[in-house]
Amino acid sequence: MTAMITIDSLTKKYGAFTAVDEVTFTAEPGRVTGFLGPNGAGKSTTMRVMVGLTEPTSGHVHVLGRPFGALPNPGREVGVLLDASAQHAGRTGREILTIAARTMGLPKGRVDEMLERVSLTEEEAGRRVRNYSLGMRQRLGIATALLGDPEVLILDEPANGLDPAGIRWMRDLLRGFGDQGGTVLLSSHLLHEIEVIADDIVVIGNGRIVAGGTKEELLASAGTLARAADPAVLSRALEAAGLVTSIADGAVFTDADLTTVGRAAFAAGIALTELRTADGAGLEEMFLELTAESQRDAVTDNKLEGAAA
Ligand code: ADP
C-alpha cells in the first residue's frame, strides 16, 4: 500500500521558535487518519505546509507522490478545508460552490449533488455565509472540499462547531469516502472526535509526534482493565505473576494484554467479573499525559509577537 500523504522530517521554525519539529508520518488510502493534539501543538502549521501555504524550514511533504504545488490539477485531486470561516461572508453557500465548480471546470449539477451530500437545504444554500452557524460553515467547507471528487481530503478541525449528531454524520461521510479508497487526514484537539472518526491516529504535542498507530493499537497501549470481587486480591495475584498493576475505581489496571491477565487470574483461581481494554478513560489519560507539557499557546503567543512568519 502506497501512502497518499507522506510527511518526512518536517520542521517549521518561526524565528527561534520551532512550531513543527521533525514530524514524520503517513496517511494511507482507504483510511481516515486523525491528527490529534492540543491547541498550539503544530497541526495547522503542518497542514498548511502540506498544501503549499507555508514554506517548510526543512523536510518535505508529498501528496499523491508529489509536492502539492506540482500536482497538475490540485482541486480535482486534493480536497482541502483549512478554515471554514475563510469563505466570502457576503456570498451565499450556493454561490461559493458554483464559483468553485466553474473554476474546476465541473458541471453545474455537481453543486446540487454536494449540497445534498452535506445536508444543506435549498433555503440554507441561498443564505449568505455571514448568517451561517459554524456547523453550517463546516458543512459548506466539506462540500467545497468534495466538489472536485478528489482522492485525498485534508481537513483542519472539520468537526469544530458540530453537535454530536453532526460529528456522527461527518464520521459516516468520511467513512464512506475511505471505503471507496479515498485518503482522509483530519485534525482535532479533541480526543473523542478523533476516537469516533479515525482509523489511524497520530498524536502531536509541542511540535513533535508523540504517538501513532491504528486506533486499536493505541487503545491497546492504554492497557487492560480487570475486575473481580476483591480488587486487592486480584492485584496481588497479578503482581505475583509478574505484572505491574494499579487499582482505581475498584478496577485493576495493567499494561499486560487481555490474554495474559485472563490466564494469570485463572491460574490464581480468581473469577473475573470484567476483562477488557482500558479504553475511553485510559486513552484519555494517555492523551493528557502525552500532551501535558505542550499546552504552550499562552506562553508563545506573547513571546512570539513580531516573530517573522
Ligand atoms: P495547532 O494547529 O495545533 O493549534 P498551530 O500549527 O496553529 O497549532 O501553531 C503551532 C505553534 O506555532 C503555536 O505556538 C503558534 O502560536 C505558532 N505559530 C503558528 N503560526 C505562526 C506564525 N505565523 N508566526 C509565529 N508563530 C506561529
Side-chain angles (χ1 to χ4, degrees):
M1 201 161 53
T2 344
M4 289 290 143
I5 304 176
T6 308
I7 296 106
D8 192 6
S9 303
L10 180 70
T11 295
K12 176 65 190 177
K13 294 187 181 174
Y14 291 108
F17 173 71
T18 306
V20 174
D21 195 357
E22 293 283 323
V23 161
T24 297
F25 67 90
T26 59
E28 311 288 335
R31 320 249 326 149
V32 177
T33 302
F35 193 26
L36 173 68
N39 289 326
K43 304 180 295 297
S44 297
T45 305
T46 303
M47 291 176 126
R48 289 175 59 84
V49 172
M50 256 175 228
V51 299
L53 287 175
T54 297
E55 264 310 295
T57 304
S58 60
H60 65 254
V61 177
H62 282 174
V63 182
L64 292 162
R66 312 176 186 203
F68 187 81
L71 293 168
N73 192 350
R76 302 292 297 270
E77 292 159 287
V78 186
V80 177
L81 169 61
L82 288 190
D83 180 355
S85 298
Q87 288 145 337
H88 195 302
R91 296 207 175 110
T92 68
R94 176 179 291 282
E95 284 167 350
I96 286 172
L97 286 177
T98 305
I99 292 166
R102 290 219 184 114
T103 312
M104 285 187 253
L106 300 166
K108 242 186 127 210
R110 185 80 185 148
V111 170
D112 289 296
E113 246 175 80
M114 287 306 102
L115 287 170
E116 197 182 322
R117 182 111 180 249
V118 302
S119 311
L120 282 175
T121 64
E122 194 56 45
E123 187 273 318
E124 289 168 335
R127 256 190 248 167
R128 287 178 204 280
V129 167
R130 75 163 59 90
N131 301 321
Y132 275 25
S133 66
L134 181 54
M136 285 167 69
R137 283 173 208 219
Q138 296 286 24
R139 286 171 191 265
L140 180 64
I142 303 274
T144 313
L146 289 170
L147 195 62
D149 193 22
E151 261 181 271
V152 174
L153 285 178
I154 297 176
L155 313 170
D156 195 5
E157 299 270 359
N160 239 354
L162 295 180
D163 54 20
I167 290 174
R168 185 156 295 191
W169 164 82
M170 177 164 303
R171 176 191 64 187
D172 293 345
L173 186 144
L174 298 182
R175 176 79 282 128
F177 187 86
D179 287 348
Q180 285 168 16
T183 305
V184 183
L185 178 69
L186 88 162
S187 72
S188 176
H189 64 290
L190 296 173
L191 171 65
H192 85 95
E193 283 178 6
I194 290 292
E195 226 184 323
V196 169
I197 299 176
D199 304 311
D200 297 321
I201 301 179
V202 178
V203 188
I204 185 168
N206 229 356
R208 296 205 183 104
I209 301 300
V210 290
T214 66
K215 182 164 68 186
E216 289 71 27
E217 279 166 1
L218 288 184
L219 286 174
S221 72
T224 295
L225 175 156
R227 286 181 201 275
D230 187 338
V233 171
L234 174 61
S235 168
R236 274 200 298 277
L238 296 182
E239 298 260 341
L243 309 185
V244 177
T245 69
S246 60
I247 299 178
D249 288 338
V252 178
F253 291 84
T254 160
D255 283 342
D257 61 29
L258 295 173
T259 313
T260 307
V261 175
R263 282 206 181 115
F266 181 74
I270 296 171
L272 294 178
T273 54
E274 187 174 5
L275 177 64
R276 63 173 171 87
T277 301
D279 56 314
L283 188 59
E284 184 142 40
E285 202 162 290
M286 179 195 81
F287 177 55
L288 290 176
E289 221 171 85
L290 285 171
T291 53
E293 282 138 41
S294 32
Q295 303 274 5
R296 57 182 179 173
D297 253 5
V299 190
T300 53
D301 278 354
N302 300 327
K303 199 172 65 194
L304 278 177
E305 263 173 10

